[in-house]
């Protein structure tokens, strides 16, 4: 019972912090994801630091990934040009050249385990900066939290639906080699739940009049020149569910390869940061591609 209470309280605080920071504005969004990027990278490098005789420069690699997110934020909001990425390029060059002098036993492994999290954690999170930035009908760049919130809500609803339906009806394994508990019934249940919630988004956010009484008019998309119907929202939710499921399975493959149950224990009752954000890290680039192809253009 104590573990259940701890898990529930942690979940409530976790959701409140995420939603609050995204909702409040671009500065809190930036700070939140700089922290998330740092913690996920720190956790990842901690898991692999001794894998196959790897020798990871943990602090500087985490700093590099956080800088990439911050630099992408500045670039996406037109607060800096492409030159802002030069320090990150120097970090990449340093990571390769330094192996000449450290004389570690497995430099190729060091390079691979240094650069992969830069893509997987820092790179995928950085794409959220473009998801959150839109040009208004007046020609100004605006911070638009609705799509960031949609990614998180669809992932959370999918996870909840998959757990409930999987527990009640799960018989056919989805990917038994990697995650024995996941079932096709759970996947379908999570998908249906997320698709249903997408229509709530379609109703309240695509029409500025519908959200006024809830104070949601600030999320209206009309002032951005974005016209999304119920089908576009349905497609966005579907893409997020599919790729978030792959994200979950990818992290399960990582943990199975490393022989660990949880990626960490930073969140009481919920495991580590990678455990909580594995779905988001794969859903983020998928959502970015979908938005670029079917919403922004």
């Amino acid at each position: 019972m104590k573990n259940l209470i701890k898990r529930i309280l942690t979940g409530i605080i976790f959701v409140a912090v995420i939603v609050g920071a995204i909702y409040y504005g671009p500065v809190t969004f930036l700070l939140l994801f700089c922290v998330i990027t740092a913690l996920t990278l720190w956790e990842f490098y901690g898991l692999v630091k001794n894998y196959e005789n790897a020798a990871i420069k943990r602090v500087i690699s985490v700093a590099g990934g956080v800088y990439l997110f911050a630099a992408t934020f500045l670039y996406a909001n037109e607060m800096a040009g492409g030159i802002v990425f030069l320090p990150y390029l120097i970090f990449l060059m340093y990571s390769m050249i330094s192996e000449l002098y450290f004389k570690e036993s497995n430099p190729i492994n060091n390079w691979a385990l240094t650069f992969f999290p830069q893509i997987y954690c820092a790179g995928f999170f950085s794409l959220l900066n473009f998801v959150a930035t839109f040009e208004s009908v007046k020609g100004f760049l605006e911070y638009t939290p609705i799509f960031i919130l949609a990614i998180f809500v669809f992932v959370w609803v999918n996870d909840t639906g998959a757990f409930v339906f999987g527990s009640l009806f799960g018989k056919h394994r989805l990917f038994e080699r990697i995650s024995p508990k996941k079932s096709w019934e759970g996947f379908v249940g999570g998908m249906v739940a997320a698709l249903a919630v997408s229509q709530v988004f379609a109703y309240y956010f695509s029409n500025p009049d519908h959200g006024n009484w809830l104070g949601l008019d600030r999320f209206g998309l009309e002032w951005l020149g974005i016209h999304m119907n119920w089908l576009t929202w349905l497609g966005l939710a579907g893409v997020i569910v599919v790729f978030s499921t792959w994200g979950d399975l990818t992290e399960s493959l990582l943990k199975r390869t490393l022989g660990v149950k949880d990626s960490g224990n930073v969140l009481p009752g919920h495991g580590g940061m990678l455990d909580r954000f594995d779905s988001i890290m794969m859903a983020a680039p998928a959502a970015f591609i979908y938005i670029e192809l079917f919403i922004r253009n």
Side-chain angles (χ1 to χ4, degrees):
M1 179 61 73
K2 288 184 178 180
N3 287 336
L4 178 60
I5 294 174
K6 182 189 297 184
R7 183 178 177 85
I8 292 173
L9 289 176
T10 302
I12 292 172
I13 295 172
F14 176 79
V15 170
V17 170
I18 296 292
V19 172
I22 294 172
Y23 175 88
Y24 191 76
V27 174
T28 52
F29 165 78
L30 170 63
L31 293 176
L32 171 70
F33 278 96
C34 280
V35 172
I36 291 173
T37 301
L39 291 176
T40 52
L41 283 170
W42 185 263
E43 194 172 86
F44 193 107
Y45 286 126
L47 288 174
V48 303
K49 64 180 179 180
N50 296 316
Y51 181 70
E52 296 292 337
N53 297 319
I56 306 298
K57 313 307 181 288
R58 199 174 181 185
V59 173
I60 193 169
S61 296
V62 170
V66 173
Y67 182 85
L68 175 62
F69 184 88
T72 308
F73 175 86
L74 296 175
Y75 181 79
N77 287 278
E78 295 185 352
M79 299 169 67
I83 195 172
V84 74
F85 293 105
L86 292 186
Y88 187 72
L89 180 60
I90 293 173
F91 155 71
L92 297 178
M93 295 165 63
Y94 161 81
S95 297
M96 296 196 70
I97 295 171
S98 62
E99 291 297 329
L100 293 170
Y101 300 95
F102 288 125
K103 300 179 182 179
E104 302 290 354
S105 61
N106 196 339
I108 294 178
N109 209 43
N110 294 345
W111 289 329
L113 293 177
T114 296
F115 294 146
F116 173 67
Q118 295 295 316
I119 299 171
Y120 179 52
C121 301
F124 285 172
F125 279 140
S126 293
L127 291 175
L128 292 175
N129 289 301
F130 297 102
V131 174
T133 306
F134 278 78
E135 184 175 323
S136 71
V137 292
K138 295 182 179 180
F140 300 109
L141 284 177
E142 302 283 353
Y143 172 70
T144 310
I146 179 59
F147 293 115
I148 305 296
L149 289 172
I151 292 172
F152 276 91
V153 170
F154 293 158
V155 167
W156 291 337
V157 169
N158 171 58
D159 287 346
T160 303
F163 175 77
V164 172
F165 279 83
S167 299
L168 294 175
F169 309 109
K171 293 182 179 180
H172 302 87
R173 299 302 98 187
L174 177 65
F175 217 113
E176 190 169 10
R177 179 174 64 88
I178 303 300
S179 185
K181 293 183 179 181
K182 292 188 182 301
S183 67
W184 278 105
E185 291 82 0
F187 173 76
V188 172
M191 174 69 80
V192 170
L195 294 180
V197 170
S198 76
Q199 297 312 290
V200 177
F201 275 73
Y203 181 81
Y204 283 111
F205 299 126
S206 291
N207 189 322
D209 295 329
H210 292 165
N212 288 344
W213 69 281
L214 290 175
L216 299 175
D217 48 303
R218 64 168 291 201
F219 292 124
L221 301 177
E222 295 296 321
W223 61 283
L224 294 174
I226 299 174
H227 305 283
M228 289 181 65
N229 56 30
W230 65 271
L231 190 59
T232 312
W233 278 107
L234 209 66
L236 178 61
V239 165
I240 288 172
V241 167
V242 170
F243 281 88
S244 69
T245 302
W246 275 329
D248 193 341
L249 291 169
T250 299
E251 201 245 352
S252 294
L253 176 60
L254 169 67
K255 291 189 295 185
R256 186 172 289 270
T257 302
L258 296 174
V260 297
K261 183 179 183 295
D262 294 321
S263 64
N265 55 11
V266 68
L267 297 171
H270 290 263
M273 294 296 289
L274 291 171
D275 294 323
R276 292 304 93 207
F277 289 96
D278 52 0
S279 298
I280 298 296
M281 286 189 289
M282 196 64 73
F288 168 72
I289 293 171
Y290 183 90
I291 289 169
E292 287 296 309
L293 292 178
F294 302 106
I295 297 176
R296 202 185 299 269
N297 294 316

